[in-house]
Amino acid sequence: MKTCERLESAVRSYSRNFPAIFSRARGSVMLTEDGRKVIDFLSGAGALNYGHNNHAIKAAITEYLISDAVVHGLDMATPAKLEFMETFSSVILRKQRPQYRFQFTGPTGANAIEAALKLSRKVTGRQNVISFTNGYHGMSLGAIAASGNRYYRAASGCPLSGTTFMPYDGYFGPAVDTADYLRKIMLDSSSGIDLPAAILLETVQGEGGINVARKEWLWSIQELAKDVGALLIVDDIQMGCGRTGDFFSFEFASLSPDIVVLSKSLSGYGLPLSMLLIKEEIDVQQPGEHTGTFRGNNLALVAATTAINVYWRSNTFAQGIRHTGELMRRRLETIAITHGNGFSVRGRGLALGFDCKIAEIAAATTRKAFERGLIAERCGPDDEVVKFLPALTIDLDTLNQGLTIFEESLIETLRR
Ligand SMILES: *Cc1c(COP(=O)(O)O)cnc(C)c1O
């Protein structure tokens, strides 16, 4: 840790909240260099949905490496890429009509968001993009311009333009339907808001506090996008790849986004891989208009194909996520009721948030939890929500151990 303090930039962040040297990991457990076992409810901010060093995926990429198959080939065709697209189309997109095309972007989620914004502006010839309060889409200029957090926005140090923020579902409480407000603004030619190229949203806001949009609200937004000639972009970077109980977070609402953005758990192994799914009729870019050196990294594609083959060929895995999510939610709700203080629980599938209402309670609880052997992050406008993103493959024993540590840490915090 001393080396980090001496040599690593002050901008480092997770190493401050979880001060230990992590040397090994498997499934939902990480080991520190001094021999401590820590249960991981952060899962690489949702990049490790299938757990650390997933056995089946590790076997596939090890074999690929040993065979001297092409690892880096820019975006040239390789068997690994072809197999990924075939597998993703036949297993994951089977239910999606019309067909989507794959656009491989640079390795970060932020780069994929840039690509999505760029494409929507080209398709519509418009500049404005509607994004939502508490949304988070990444750190590059276009992506941060669409993100709500003032701390991150200010850190950019330059004007952030091209977006208009609208209130997310529930922003004013349950009595106000913010989709009605948005419709009124969009259809009023004198509202002062330019018609958008796209409406960009997360169906559950991850960084923003595990805010869950209702099915009806999502439907209204999709209808509105159609009515005003804007594309609907779903940022499924954190909530996709099974996190909410289906592969895509919008399946429960039967949405048909024009663009879907995937990253984080797409490779299934923590290897960087990002892409857009775009509807065929909006595939209008010229060759190389969005390019990048590391697009469609073959090792990550092999990992992604394996994850799909192992987990998504039947419904069993998705049912398991929903079942485990339900158990976890019930236990968290019991904790919330038992300890009062206005605590509440929200989320979908295995993306759950415990709203402590007061930032200091969330901070002290996660700090104590780490001392006792649990990694859980905070989110929300003031970091007042404890965020639970366990691996989707977690066993119930480990899950319950983690929840017990959380509850004990909360009790200890409240005692002070
Ligand atoms: C993490 C995240 C991003 C940004 O991805 P990076 O790989 O960190 O650039 C964008 N949108 C959402 C919803 C995210 O959770």
Side-chain angles (χ1 to χ4, degrees):
M1 287 318 291
K2 286 274 180 297
T3 308
C4 282
E5 281 159 32
R6 192 163 49 89
L7 294 179
E8 194 177 353
S9 159
V11 80
R12 68 188 189 279
S13 62
Y14 288 103
S15 61
R16 295 173 189 274
N17 293 341
F18 307 111
I21 299 170
F22 297 94
S23 47
R24 283 164 196 275
R26 185 178 293 163
S28 295
V29 176
M30 300 181 82
L31 293 181
T32 67
E33 213 170 45
D34 53 9
R36 281 204 322 134
K37 262 192 188 176
V38 189
I39 296 173
D40 187 4
F41 277 6
L42 170 57
S43 303
L48 292 164
N49 280 5
Y50 312 102
H52 289 269
N53 295 326
N54 182 286
H55 198 72
I57 303 176
K58 180 167 57 185
I61 59 181
T62 306
E63 193 184 318
Y64 191 80
L65 280 175
I66 288 173
S67 74
D68 270 346
V70 170
V71 171
H72 179 87
L74 297 164
D75 70 346
M76 288 187 270
T78 59
K81 181 191 261 187
L82 304 184
E83 197 186 342
F84 169 76
M85 289 194 285
E86 295 289 352
T87 307
F88 198 98
S89 294
S90 64
V91 180
I92 305 294
L93 297 178
R94 174 177 41 126
K95 288 175 278 180
Q96 304 289 331
R97 291 283 172 273
Q99 258 306 333
Y100 284 103
R101 285 193 179 155
F102 297 80
Q103 179 182 347
F104 296 100
T105 66
T108 64
N111 189 259
I113 292 289
E114 298 294 338
L117 297 177
K118 199 159 138 179
L119 175 60
S120 68
R121 287 175 174 134
K122 172 147 187 170
V123 169
T124 59
R126 299 174 182 169
Q127 288 173 358
N128 192 25
V129 167
I130 300 291
S131 57
F132 292 94
T133 49
N134 287 309
Y136 179 74
H137 303 288
M139 283 283 165
S140 53
L141 282 183
I144 199 69
S147 303
N149 188 297
R150 248 176 227 155
Y151 177 74
Y152 294 145
R153 292 177 66 85
S156 299
C158 72
L160 300 173
S161 60
T163 48
T164 305
F165 283 82
M166 288 289 156
Y168 192 70
D169 192 21
Y171 192 69
F172 295 109
V176 179
D177 188 344
T178 64
D180 291 344
Y181 172 77
L182 184 49
R183 172 168 289 274
K184 170 89 183 168
I185 295 271
M186 285 295 108
L187 297 184
D188 177 355
S189 59
S190 250
S191 67
I193 305 293
D194 296 331
L195 283 177
I199 303 181
L200 167 65
L201 59 83
E202 302 155 86
T203 69
V204 178
Q205 296 183 318
E207 301 308 301
I210 311 289
N211 306 315
V212 186
R214 289 166 305 125
K215 192 187 282 191
E216 299 73 26
W217 186 84
L218 292 166
W219 258 101
S220 306
I221 299 294
Q222 174 168 282
E223 283 307 296
L224 178 59
K226 273 205 196 86
D227 292 347
V228 300
L231 304 188
L232 177 66
I233 306 174
V234 172
D235 177 347
D236 237 3
I237 291 175
Q238 188 166 152
M239 293 301 151
C241 303
R243 180 50 63 187
T244 64
D246 291 305
F247 187 86
F248 296 114
S249 74
F250 51 83
E251 283 177 64
F252 85 112
S254 309
L255 295 190
S256 176
D258 299 291
I259 303 178
V260 182
V261 190
L262 291 170
S263 179
K264 291 207 164 95
S265 270
L266 181 58
S267 81
Y269 204 75
L271 296 170
L273 178 65
S274 301
M275 71 176 185
L276 305 183
L277 296 168
I278 61 179
K279 283 192 176 160
E280 273 170 346
E281 65 268 23
I282 59 163
D283 189 16
V284 299
Q285 290 184 105
Q286 297 299 310
E289 276 193 320
H290 190 84
T291 184
T293 305
F294 293 111
R295 283 174 304 135
N297 166 339
N298 285 286
L299 200 60
L301 289 168
V302 170
T305 305
T306 310
I308 294 166
N309 281 330
V310 172
Y311 294 104
W312 295 101
R313 284 199 174 269
S314 81
N315 289 329
T316 324
F317 186 58
Q319 282 162 1
I321 299 166
R322 292 194 282 264
H323 179 68
T324 310
E326 202 44 52
L327 294 178
M328 185 168 186
R329 172 194 279 275
R330 265 190 250 145
R331 174 119 192 242
L332 286 172
E333 277 169 353
T334 306
I335 296 173
I337 292 165
T338 309
H339 302 290
N341 287 288
F343 297 148
S344 65
V345 178
R346 52 183 185 257
R348 211 146 54 72
L350 274 171
L352 292 165
F354 188 97
D355 191 341
C356 297
K357 302 290 192 290
I358 297 170
E360 288 70 32
I361 296 182
T365 303
T366 50
R367 198 169 51 241
K368 289 187 204 320
F370 182 63
E371 286 162 14
R372 290 166 182 262
L374 174 72
I375 296 182
E377 204 193 356
R378 288 172 289 139
C379 61
D382 301 308
D383 276 348
E384 74 285 18
V385 180
V386 179
K387 180 174 163 191
F388 297 100
L389 299 177
L392 309 180
T393 51
I394 194 167
D395 61 274
L396 293 184
D397 241 16
T398 311
L399 183 77
N400 278 317
Q401 278 175 40
L403 289 169
T404 301
I405 293 176
F406 168 71
E407 183 169 21
E408 288 168 357
S409 309
L410 181 69
I411 292 170
E412 198 188 323
T413 301
L414 295 175
R415 213 177 277 143
R416 299 278 161 96

